[in-house]
Amino acid sequence: MLDIIKAFLYGIVEGITEWLPVSSTGHMILLEEFVKMDVSQDFWNMFLVVIQLGAILAVVLLYWNQIFPWDFSKKARQEKRVNKKDVWMLWAKILVACIPAAIVGVLFDDWLDEHLYNGYVVATMLIIFGILFIIIENKNKGKEAVIKTIEEIDFKTALIIGVFQLIAAIFPGTSRSGATIVGSLMIGVSRTAAANFTFLLAIPVMFGASLLKLVKFGLAFSGSEVAILATGMIVAFVISVIVIKFLMSYIRKHDFKVFGWYRIILGVVVLAYFFLK
């Protein structure tokens, strides 16, 4: 029961930090220092990734009309336009953006876990990308975005965003959403389009990463492990729905600098904690 309560807490943290550009991994590593679950190391490594499935299902729910590529309505069938070509094109761009991180994830997943998933790397990347957020937002102040909507993102732009996502895949603490949003802003994508594309980009990335971890862990779950994982995923789903709606409302009137300052402060706190530990 105690571990289920802890999983509830991890679900809250995952649901909040997965979508805000503040690094869910950084928060999870810090939370683990104070709230440890009585589970095996293999289960814990899998849990940290697969709990994201709950968060990604929130994106699927909120963006269903934009990502489902078929229209089975009577009118669409009569006009023979069941296939939504614009949605298929969007998925093609998303898959192109996923290629860099997918290749590195499959080839170097275990090595990255062993050598880079630690508090020092997380804290450093929190600070670096926090500074980048502030610099880019100051530089872009008053400038009009070149790409205003997600439909205007072409394949070249999608691939560039995918390269920034690769940075997050390599260096924990970067934040996947943080890296892709920073990259998008640097090449002239509007905040709204950058956030929307980041959310959609997470669908294949998180499903792929979760599938990889599940295959490595195997499906021999105990009853308590199923309860812990289900609790984390369900809570992450509910919180994610709330946070995504908040963020899309927030960025219509505000920039990302507040998240940059938050990252810097958190990074300094994490560094101080591990140095003094």
Side-chain angles (χ1 to χ4, degrees), residues 67-258:
I67 64 173
F68 190 65
W70 295 286
D71 183 352
F72 293 117
S73 66
K74 183 178 180 180
K75 183 178 180 180
R77 293 199 306 271
Q78 289 175 340
E79 296 177 2
K80 296 182 179 180
R81 52 178 181 82
V82 172
N83 279 308
K84 296 156 71 173
K85 294 181 180 179
D86 57 332
V87 177
W88 283 112
M89 185 61 68
L90 174 61
W91 273 112
K93 295 172 185 175
I94 289 171
L95 292 177
V96 165
C98 288
I99 291 173
I103 293 174
V104 171
V106 170
L107 296 178
F108 302 105
D109 181 60
D110 291 335
W111 188 92
L112 293 173
D113 279 350
E114 182 179 351
H115 293 88
L116 294 180
Y117 274 69
N118 60 72
Y120 297 106
V121 174
V122 168
T124 301
M125 299 312 296
L126 277 168
I127 294 170
I128 290 173
F129 268 77
I131 293 170
L132 280 175
F133 263 121
I134 296 169
I135 292 174
I136 292 169
E137 285 289 17
N138 285 336
K139 184 179 178 181
N140 287 348
K141 189 174 182 179
K143 289 185 179 180
E144 189 171 346
V146 177
I147 300 173
K148 298 181 177 63
T149 66
I150 196 171
E151 290 78 17
E152 295 175 21
I153 294 176
D154 57 19
F155 284 97
K156 179 182 177 181
T157 303
L159 185 59
I160 293 172
I161 295 173
V163 171
F164 275 89
Q165 179 175 244
L166 173 61
I167 297 173
I170 296 174
F171 298 104
T174 301
S175 168
R176 191 195 56 77
S177 61
T180 53
I181 289 173
V182 162
S184 299
L185 295 177
M186 286 179 66
I187 58 178
V189 181
S190 70
R191 294 188 195 96
T192 301
N196 278 325
F197 193 73
T198 293
F199 294 155
L200 300 183
L201 188 55
I203 297 175
V205 170
M206 288 187 183
F207 271 113
S210 297
L211 180 61
L212 183 63
K213 288 294 185 182
L214 283 171
V215 169
K216 288 183 177 180
F217 180 78
L219 298 178
F221 291 96
S222 66
S224 61
E225 287 174 339
V226 171
I228 291 169
L229 186 58
T231 298
M233 290 175 60
I234 292 169
V235 174
F237 169 79
V238 174
I239 299 299
S240 291
V241 170
I242 298 170
V243 170
I244 291 171
K245 289 183 176 181
F246 159 76
L247 182 61
M248 295 312 298
S249 174
Y250 176 87
I251 62 176
R252 292 190 185 101
K253 299 179 181 178
H254 306 86
D255 59 29
F256 285 106
K257 282 194 288 187
V258 65

Side-chain angles (χ1 to χ4, degrees), residues 263-275:
R263 289 176 64 97
I264 293 170
I265 294 170
L266 180 63
V268 171
V269 170
V270 172
L271 273 179
Y273 173 78
F274 282 103
F275 272 125

Side-chain angles (χ1 to χ4, degrees), residues 2 6 27 30 34 42 47 61 82 185 197 237 250 265 267:
L2 183 58
K6 292 177 181 177
H27 286 78
L30 192 59
F34 303 99
D42 286 341
F47 174 83
L61 173 68
V82 172
L185 295 177
F197 193 73
F237 169 79
Y250 176 87
I265 294 170

